[in-house]
Structures are given as C-alpha cells and as structure tokens.
Amino acid sequence: MADYEAVQRGPLRLKGGGAGLGAGKRKKKKAKDKAKILEQIVSSKKQEEEKKRGLDKRTPAQVAYEKMQEKRQMERILKKASKTHKQRVEDFNRHLDTLTEHYDIPKVSWTK
C-alpha cells in the first residue's frame, strides 16, 4: 500500500497555466474575424491571378490543353458522383453475370 501513496489524486492538469479555461470551453470566433479571413482569401486569389498573368510563359496550345484536362477531369468526377454505391454494385454484378464460367473462382476445399 505504501507504493501508491505518491499517486496524484484529482483531475489531471495541463502545463502552461490556463487555469481560467477548461478543456471543453473554447472562445467563439467573431463574425469580424470570418469577414477578415474571407477578404484575405479573395485578395490573395486576385494577387495570384495577377501574378499568373504576368508570369505565364505557356503557349496558347498549352493553356488550351490544360483547360481541356480540367474539363475532362470534372466530367469524370461528375460521372462517378452520379451513381450510388448500390447502383455500382448492381452494375458490377450484372457484368459478372455476363462473363463465362472460365472466370469463376474455383472451389478450394478438398473435403466437399
């Protein structure tokens, strides 16, 4: 019993003070902060676009190629998002039904 006398009783405390705030309490962000963040994001995007215009060393063909790549990628994403998982499974099962028995997985058990 003497081994357990040095054990701290009570809740654990974090280092660094902060005695005023509990672990579950957080300060709420104000709408001003959100507005400032949105303004910063918009301004940074505008600055990036301006830099791209000035530093863009791509040929018109390269620009068109990248636009088409983005368009095709968006089409692929929309195509995949249009079906639910259940529909994909049903389509896959229909595909498996059309295959010949050559592709079936053989039984491995020797007892049956």
Short mmCIF file of all heavy atoms in Angstrom, two decimals, residues 14 18 20-28:
data_model
loop_
_atom_site.label_atom_id
_atom_site.label_comp_id
_atom_site.label_asym_id
_atom_site.label_seq_id
_atom_site.Cartn_x
_atom_site.Cartn_y
_atom_site.Cartn_z
N LEU A 14 -2.98 20.44 -17.18
CA LEU A 14 -2.04 20.68 -18.26
C LEU A 14 -1.01 21.70 -17.85
O LEU A 14 -1.27 22.59 -17.04
CB LEU A 14 -2.78 21.17 -19.51
CG LEU A 14 -3.82 20.21 -20.07
CD1 LEU A 14 -4.55 20.87 -21.22
CD2 LEU A 14 -3.15 18.94 -20.54
N GLY A 18 -3.21 28.54 -17.82
CA GLY A 18 -4.51 28.42 -18.47
C GLY A 18 -5.56 27.92 -17.51
O GLY A 18 -6.47 27.19 -17.89
N GLY A 20 -7.92 29.44 -16.14
CA GLY A 20 -9.24 30.05 -16.34
C GLY A 20 -10.11 29.27 -17.31
O GLY A 20 -11.31 29.21 -17.17
N LEU A 21 -9.51 28.66 -18.35
CA LEU A 21 -10.30 27.95 -19.36
C LEU A 21 -10.24 26.45 -19.11
O LEU A 21 -9.17 25.89 -18.88
CB LEU A 21 -9.75 28.24 -20.76
CG LEU A 21 -9.90 29.66 -21.28
CD1 LEU A 21 -9.23 29.80 -22.62
CD2 LEU A 21 -11.36 30.04 -21.39
N GLY A 22 -11.37 25.81 -19.17
CA GLY A 22 -11.41 24.36 -19.05
C GLY A 22 -11.12 23.73 -20.40
O GLY A 22 -11.00 24.40 -21.42
N ALA A 23 -11.00 22.42 -20.42
CA ALA A 23 -10.67 21.73 -21.66
C ALA A 23 -11.80 21.82 -22.67
O ALA A 23 -11.58 21.88 -23.87
CB ALA A 23 -10.35 20.28 -21.37
N GLY A 24 -13.05 21.87 -22.20
CA GLY A 24 -14.18 21.88 -23.11
C GLY A 24 -14.60 23.27 -23.55
O GLY A 24 -15.40 23.42 -24.46
N LYS A 25 -14.07 24.30 -22.92
CA LYS A 25 -14.51 25.65 -23.25
C LYS A 25 -13.58 26.24 -24.30
O LYS A 25 -12.37 26.15 -24.20
CB LYS A 25 -14.48 26.52 -22.01
CG LYS A 25 -15.43 26.05 -20.93
CD LYS A 25 -15.34 26.95 -19.72
CE LYS A 25 -16.24 26.45 -18.59
NZ LYS A 25 -16.09 27.27 -17.39
N ARG A 26 -14.16 26.84 -25.31
CA ARG A 26 -13.39 27.49 -26.36
C ARG A 26 -13.98 28.87 -26.59
O ARG A 26 -15.18 29.09 -26.42
CB ARG A 26 -13.46 26.71 -27.67
CG ARG A 26 -12.77 25.38 -27.58
CD ARG A 26 -12.78 24.72 -28.93
NE ARG A 26 -12.10 23.44 -28.85
CZ ARG A 26 -12.02 22.59 -29.83
NH1 ARG A 26 -12.59 22.86 -30.97
NH2 ARG A 26 -11.39 21.45 -29.69
N LYS A 27 -13.11 29.76 -27.02
CA LYS A 27 -13.59 31.09 -27.35
C LYS A 27 -14.31 31.03 -28.69
O LYS A 27 -13.88 30.33 -29.61
CB LYS A 27 -12.44 32.07 -27.45
CG LYS A 27 -11.78 32.36 -26.13
CD LYS A 27 -10.70 33.41 -26.30
CE LYS A 27 -10.04 33.73 -24.99
NZ LYS A 27 -8.99 34.74 -25.15
N LYS A 28 -15.40 31.76 -28.80
CA LYS A 28 -16.13 31.80 -30.06
C LYS A 28 -15.49 32.82 -30.98
O LYS A 28 -15.11 33.91 -30.55
CB LYS A 28 -17.59 32.19 -29.82
CG LYS A 28 -18.36 31.14 -29.05
CD LYS A 28 -19.80 31.53 -28.91
CE LYS A 28 -20.57 30.48 -28.15
NZ LYS A 28 -21.98 30.85 -27.99
#
